Amino acid sequence: MTHTVPTDSTVRTGAVSQARTPGVQIDLQHAKAARSVSRSGPTITCDDVKVFYKKFLAVRDVNMTFNRNEVSALIGPSGCGKSTVLRCLNRMNDLVPGARVEGMIRFEGTDIYGAGVDVNEVRRRIGMVFQKPNPFPKSIYDNVAYGPRVTKMQVDSMDDLVEEALRKAAIWDEVKSNLKGSALALSGGQQQRLCIARAIATKPEVILMDEPCSALDPIATLKIEDLMDSLAQEFTIIIVTHNMQQAARVSQRTAFFTAEADEHGDRTGRLVEFDDTAKMFSNPADERTEAYISGRFG
Ligand SMILES: Nc1ncnc2c1ncn2[C@@H]1O[C@H](COP(=O)(O)OP(=O)(O)OP(=O)(O)O)[C@@H](O)[C@H]1O
């Protein structure tokens, strides 16, 4: 039975999606995709983006628009270019020798690769959380205060800013009596929420997350997933995940990438489709998406 989920803002569905995707059952009742979405316009757009590592074309055909205050998930098989695309959105890929971007990536209307663009400002406004929690070997407080200090942010009270960031990252109650303690003494899940607090502290508009739960246990993972929902009230979130259930749980929009070999055997990633998560998991437009989601490939 085809279960097509309408995507207008009034719809809530309690069904489990089986549709054309028998391999993965997605509980749309708990999917953020099924929630009302009030779109507030595009923040990042990618027009015909290609990314090379030296001569190797890693990913192409990237045409995407990310809306403000939405969670968008990038999914697809290993090597299809998800992390590469994510890193290009805040010019983190500039740090990889030989990496080169063609096409246009605009943030709030400005070409982020354009002449005269302040890369540090791009990275402040578009923050990033990595796969492995990577707190600095400093106190909890100093981890959060680090960004505002190095960017010389005008701050009325650093204590208030640190508290606010830790609260938004849902870790304040666990660390408030130990702010001078070492960040490295926290659990993995706490460290990752601390890294989210550190990213928030510089007041970004977008947070990129590259497999933020892959090093965490299921309970810590659920905490981060819950956190994403509340963070999306204030920030735009773009997450790379291998976990399709997670994409369905946390995102309103999902992009599916794949990798196809050319005549020389070089595998180049490409964006296949990017649509409402409910639609992607119940009635995708492209058969490659359906094959991946149903577990028949990838
Ligand atoms: N620093 C690099 N130098 C050269 N090639 C790279 C580099 N990083 C990634 N690649 C290549 O670019 C392609 C896309 O890699 P990327 O890591 O973006 O894919 P992915 O979809 O995120 O994969 P995974 O799910 O395994 O993390 C792959 O062929 C990969 O080998």
Side-chain angles (χ1 to χ4, degrees):
M1 184 187 76
T2 300
H3 174 73
T4 306
V5 182
T7 53
D8 76 64
S9 63
T10 60
V11 170
R12 282 165 208 268
T13 174
V16 172
S17 166
Q18 290 180 293
R20 297 155 58 192
T21 58
V24 177
Q25 299 223 330
I26 304 297
D27 178 358
L28 289 173
Q29 185 170 31
H30 295 104
K32 302 302 181 277
R35 295 201 179 165
S36 56
V37 173
S38 58
R39 301 215 152 112
S40 57
T43 178
I44 296 181
T45 56
C46 301
D47 291 318
D48 206 14
V49 167
K50 295 186 178 82
V51 189
F52 296 82
Y53 292 104
K54 299 194 174 139
K55 288 187 176 159
F56 172 60
L57 175 56
V59 61
R60 65 186 174 104
D61 296 346
V62 183
N63 290 287
M64 313 177 84
T65 297
F66 297 98
N67 296 310
R68 291 187 203 101
N69 300 102
E70 276 185 4
V71 181
S72 299
L74 313 188
I75 64 168
S78 189
C80 65
K82 307 175 295 290
S83 297
T84 292
V85 169
L86 192 79
R87 287 194 300 262
C88 290
L89 301 180
N90 73 346
R91 294 192 55 172
M92 217 41 123
N93 242 22
D94 290 13
L95 304 175
V96 179
R100 180 166 61 82
V101 176
E102 280 185 9
M104 179 86 78
I105 301 178
R106 289 193 187 86
F107 173 48
E108 297 297 335
T110 299
D111 173 6
I112 63 168
Y113 287 86
V117 166
D118 179 347
V119 180
N120 291 327
E121 183 63 2
V122 170
R123 294 189 191 136
R124 186 195 65 73
R125 294 178 68 189
I126 308 175
M128 193 149 195
V129 173
F130 297 90
Q131 192 167 1
K132 200 162 168 288
N134 61 347
F136 302 134
K138 294 173 181 288
S139 70
I140 293 164
Y141 185 104
D142 286 342
N143 263 272
V144 182
Y146 181 85
R149 283 175 180 152
V150 297
T151 58
K152 298 190 169 48
M153 252 172 76
Q154 294 294 316
V155 172
D156 289 339
S157 158
M158 188 61 84
D159 289 358
D160 289 350
L161 187 143
V162 168
E163 179 176 338
E164 185 189 339
L166 289 167
R167 280 189 186 281
K168 285 181 181 166
I171 189 177
W172 171 250
D173 287 341
E174 291 158 69
V175 299
K176 63 187 175 192
S177 58
N178 187 31
L179 293 175
K180 297 292 173 204
S182 169
L184 301 182
L186 297 172
S187 71
Q190 288 173 324
Q191 288 187 6
Q192 195 61 309
R193 280 178 286 140
L194 176 65
C195 291
I196 292 171
R198 189 175 66 191
I200 290 170
T202 53
K203 308 222 177 268
E205 289 144 71
V206 180
I207 306 174
L208 310 177
M209 297 186 173
D210 194 353
E211 294 265 1
C213 304
S214 65
L216 306 182
D217 65 38
I219 291 172
T221 295
L222 279 181
K223 281 194 178 154
I224 302 271
E225 289 185 4
D226 285 346
L227 177 57
M228 274 184 229
D229 200 25
S230 62
L231 291 175
Q233 312 291 320
E234 190 173 342
F235 308 99
T236 302
I237 297 179
I238 305 171
I239 173 178
V240 166
T241 178
H242 274 109
N243 181 333
M244 284 190 279
Q245 304 280 356
Q246 180 171 72
R249 281 194 299 265
V250 304
S251 72
Q252 283 86 40
R253 302 244 293 154
T254 296
F256 172 64
F257 290 76
T258 192
E260 290 166 0
D262 65 14
E263 65 273 22
H264 309 294
D266 289 335
R267 289 176 67 77
T268 292
R270 65 192 302 180
L271 175 66
V272 173
E273 61 181 307
F274 183 29
D275 208 332
D276 289 340
T277 296
K279 181 168 185 304
M280 291 287 282
F281 282 94
S282 61
N283 192 22
D286 193 291
E287 60 186 22
R288 290 167 294 183
T289 313
E290 187 191 340
Y292 183 74
I293 284 173
S294 65
R296 282 190 281 119
F297 127 83

